[in-house]
Amino acid sequence: MLIIWDSFVGTPVRTFLNPHPNGVRAMDLSVDNQYIVTIGADQPQTISLWDWTNQNEEGPICSEVNNTVDPRYLNFWIKFNPNNHFELIANSQQRLEIYNWVPGNAKFMYYAPRVDATDFTGAERADCDLTKSVFIPGTEMAVTGTEGGDIIVWDKSLILEGIGEPNEKRLIKVVTLNT
């Protein structure tokens, strides 16, 4: 179950029974504290958005199902954009996904920016698993760490280059921290 607690007095203020059949794998709270996003530990994996402050909402206000069976593509991390709670970033071992949602729409819109082995300094680095992804506050950028010691920097596409769609993030740089 998903329980929201009043941290000052230590009592539950909202409970959602059985948000995901096999439990919650990851979650985050929006900066304005109105929304919670959860990733289920189930297969197919479900990503759900909850407006816990609206007492009329008994379930998620937005959901998406990840139908992959390959464990390398099951999300284990998700974060809200601190500048825009309508945008989230999630990652699995091998893929980054950026989610957007619109109030009143029950489904997320999402895309997975392309990563190519040629973006890295060596083929062995390109095969490293992703760790965590976060948005950089006050910017449009996000970063993702890898187990190989790289930081992947994502930013909005430059449509003049013909890569991606307007307003979609793409890989702009790989910073090697560990050689």
Side-chain angles (χ1 to χ4, degrees):
M1 84 180 64
L2 179 60
I3 303 172
I4 295 86
W5 295 84
D6 181 323
S7 62
F8 292 109
V9 295
T11 59
V13 294
R14 188 77 194 269
T15 301
F16 296 98
L17 301 174
N18 201 25
H20 298 281
N22 293 316
V24 174
R25 188 170 194 184
M27 64 186 295
D28 193 30
L29 180 67
S30 62
V31 174
D32 65 1
N33 297 319
Q34 182 176 354
Y35 302 102
I36 296 173
V37 64
T38 57
I39 297 176
D42 42 350
Q43 279 191 338
Q45 187 177 59
T46 305
I47 297 174
S48 298
L49 181 73
W50 311 80
D51 180 352
W52 74 270
T53 63
N54 184 343
Q55 297 296 324
N56 296 324
E57 295 290 348
E58 295 298 320
I61 60 172
C62 190
S63 287
E64 190 65 43
V65 176
N66 176 355
N67 286 313
T68 187
V69 293
D70 188 334
R72 296 175 304 155
Y73 298 105
L74 292 173
N75 290 311
F76 62 83
W77 179 257
I78 194 158
K79 293 297 282 181
F80 278 97
N81 183 337
N83 304 321
N84 174 5
H85 64 241
F86 298 108
E87 185 177 41
L88 303 115
I89 193 167
N91 68 269
S92 63
Q93 291 174 333
Q94 293 291 308
R95 181 173 55 204
L96 174 90
E97 296 173 340
I98 298 178
Y99 290 84
N100 291 285
W101 65 279
V102 176
N105 191 345
K107 293 279 187 190
F108 286 103
M109 295 170 287
Y110 69 97
Y111 60 97
R114 185 180 63 84
V115 178
D116 192 271
T118 61
D119 295 321
F120 294 85
T121 57
E124 70 282 353
R125 299 188 85 80
D127 288 335
C128 290
D129 288 345
L130 302 178
T131 56
K132 303 284 193 301
S133 300
V134 295
F135 291 96
I136 299 174
T139 73
E140 294 285 335
M141 292 188 284
V143 293
T144 301
T146 73
E147 287 185 351
D150 292 320
I151 300 292
I152 303 169
V153 182
W154 312 93
D155 202 353
K156 283 193 174 183
S157 290
L158 299 175
I159 199 66
L160 296 174
E161 294 181 14
I163 299 173
E165 297 293 324
N167 296 319
E168 285 190 358
K169 291 176 177 45
R170 65 174 180 90
L171 186 150
I172 61 164
K173 186 174 192 171
V174 176
V175 179
T176 300
L177 300 178
N178 182 14
T179 56

